[in-house]
Amino acid sequence: MTKIGARKAWFQVHKWIGLILAVLIIPISLTGAALVWHDALDKTLNAGRFATSGAVRLAPAAYLSAARARVPGAVAQLTLGTGDEPVAVSFAGDGKPQAGPPARTTVYLDPPTAHVLDVANSNAGIVRVMHRLHGSLMVPGVGRQIVGWIGVAMLISSFSGLWLWWPTIGSWVRGLRWRRHRNLDTNLHHLFGFWIALPLFVLSLTGAWISFPAFFGALSVQAPQRGGGPDRAAMMRAKPLATPALGVDQVVAKASAMAGGRAQAITWPTTLKPDWTVSFGQRSVTVADDTGIAAEVPRREQAGIARLMRRIHDGTGMGPIWQVIIFLGGLLPAILAVTGIIMWWRARSWKGDLKRRQQARAAA
């Protein structure tokens, strides 16, 4: 294939990816840009939830008692957090089958007083809706896979867009000119497309990785052989034990004796896994509910890589420069989708007019 032929082929690929997926790319991109500032957005929209009076932590049982006085049911997790963040106690849902993560009711508490600040459903609120839209387009069951394949398509779009941006004549520096075309939208498409191509490639790759963790995890590291136990989805839907044998303070004491430091989250034993899990940041300890035996959870290399991919994708702990790049990486693709549609419509109209003039001349 000649260079011109390859360019025409990549143009068709780039054009139809943009046209077919534009209606999906725009909401995914805009919600991704907004969620870069997730914490600030959450605090703005739910100010009462974060109106804490200090950072002093009480015993976990005190928070448990205060939350249960407000919401009945089985507790799934207690998140102590750090600093002056509110303490969160999550209660299991009603057990009704549903697609996606099971709904939970979360009680937010003031750390020094255990005063209830807010009660919310895990699937409610603007921030949560944006997460669901960005991660699964709010499509039950297969939404995450759809978003993953859109990420793969965006990888191809980034590469093909850079190919088409490259000037056919002269140095690549010519491509940085503002006025490569007489139309504003075309100039915006060329210029924004160049500067966002590499970040968009990285964001698309990490997004696909998050959507297909098993596939990419197998490529990055030899995954350990798993037995015939329940899968991750079944574990998420397992019911927490309503009356575990051990008390939460007792569990935290046993886990802290092994790991040291202060517990940040406690996950209750379930009908499928009768062990408590206590998180200390980078370390986790399980405590058997029947015997009280504590054991440190071994770190998995695969999980570390997956965590890094997520941090790169959402900017958590990556510094303000990368967060700004991610924000632009979410905002600019929406602009590229709109300008691309305008360019396609103009070309379609121009070709239609040309065809009609040619037919008129032929008829004359």
Side-chain angles (χ1 to χ4, degrees), residues 40 114 119 124 199 204 302 334:
V119 179
S204 301
Q302 185 175 351

Side-chain angles (χ1 to χ4, degrees), residues 184-186 188-189 334-344 346:
L184 173 64
D185 52 88
T186 304
L188 288 174
H189 196 86
I335 298 176
L336 293 176
V338 173
T339 55
I341 292 174
I342 295 173
M343 291 164 60
W344 168 77
R346 183 189 302 110

Side-chain angles (χ1 to χ4, degrees), residues 58-77:
L58 305 177
Y63 301 120
L64 194 61
S65 176
R68 278 178 167 160
R70 188 68 174 269
V71 177
V75 176
Q77 188 175 56

Side-chain angles (χ1 to χ4, degrees), residues 92-103:
D94 53 16
K96 294 181 180 179
Q98 65 175 39

Side-chain angles (χ1 to χ4, degrees), residues 15-342:
K15 178 180 72 175
W16 288 111
I17 286 177
L19 292 176
I20 294 173
L21 299 181
V23 69
L24 302 179
I25 291 173
I26 291 174
I28 290 176
S29 298
L30 293 180
T31 53
L35 289 173
V36 173
W37 320 115
H38 170 276
D39 291 345
L41 190 62
D42 195 21
K43 290 180 179 179
T44 300
L45 295 174
N46 303 291
R49 184 179 302 173
F50 294 89
T52 58
S53 61
V56 177
R57 256 57 178 182
L58 305 177
Y63 301 120
L64 194 61
S65 176
R68 278 178 167 160
R70 188 68 174 269
V71 177
V75 176
Q77 188 175 56
L78 191 160
T79 305
L80 296 170
T82 59
D84 59 355
E85 297 175 354
V87 172
V89 181
S90 297
F91 290 81
D94 53 16
K96 294 181 180 179
Q98 65 175 39
R104 291 179 174 179
T105 299
T106 301
V107 179
Y108 296 90
L109 305 162
D110 182 38
T113 65
H115 172 71
V116 175
L117 300 172
D118 192 15
V119 179
N121 185 285
S122 61
N123 289 333
I126 296 176
V127 176
R128 182 57 189 162
V129 168
M130 286 196 295
H131 272 290
R132 293 171 60 196
L133 186 60
H134 184 75
S136 65
L137 289 170
M138 303 184 74
V139 177
V142 298
R144 188 173 183 179
Q145 286 70 37
I146 293 174
V147 172
W149 283 113
I150 292 175
V152 174
M154 291 302 294
L155 286 172
I156 300 172
S157 182
S158 300
F159 174 78
S160 59
L162 191 59
W163 176 288
L164 295 170
W165 168 88
W166 205 276
T168 55
I169 300 175
S171 170
W172 65 272
V173 179
R174 290 172 56 90
L176 298 176
R177 293 176 303 170
W178 163 246
R179 295 193 61 82
R180 292 186 63 176
H181 198 274
R182 65 177 179 273
N183 296 309
L184 173 64
D185 52 88
T186 304
N187 290 323
L188 288 174
H189 196 86
H190 279 291
L191 197 63
F192 286 172
F194 169 76
W195 287 110
I196 205 61
L198 182 57
L200 185 58
F201 183 91
V202 173
L203 292 175
S204 301
L205 175 61
T206 53
W209 192 302
I210 293 169
S211 297
F212 304 117
F215 173 77
F216 285 99
L219 295 179
S220 61
V221 63
Q222 183 63 38
Q225 296 296 321
R226 297 183 59 183
D231 60 17
R232 182 174 179 270
M235 293 291 288
M236 291 177 62
R237 289 170 174 77
K239 295 181 179 180
L241 299 183
T243 56
L246 300 177
V248 63
D249 286 349
Q250 185 180 4
V251 169
V252 172
K254 289 179 177 293
S256 299
M258 171 169 286
R262 188 174 65 81
Q264 295 184 14
I266 305 103
T267 303
W268 259 241
T270 68
T271 52
L272 292 181
K273 183 183 178 184
D275 294 335
W276 299 76
T277 301
V278 184
S279 172
F280 295 84
Q282 298 297 322
R283 303 176 66 183
S284 295
V285 174
T286 60
V287 179
D289 189 54
D290 52 355
T291 64
I293 297 176
E296 185 165 2
V297 179
R299 297 185 182 184
R300 294 185 302 153
E301 182 181 356
Q302 185 175 351
I305 296 175
R307 190 178 299 111
L308 175 62
M309 293 297 106
R310 184 169 288 279
R311 288 181 60 203
I312 292 173
H313 189 77
D314 60 27
T316 301
M318 300 297 289
I321 295 178
W322 180 245
Q323 289 174 345
V324 170
I325 292 175
I326 295 176
F327 174 76
L328 295 175
L331 186 63
L332 294 186
I335 298 176
L336 293 176
V338 173
T339 55
I341 292 174
I342 295 173

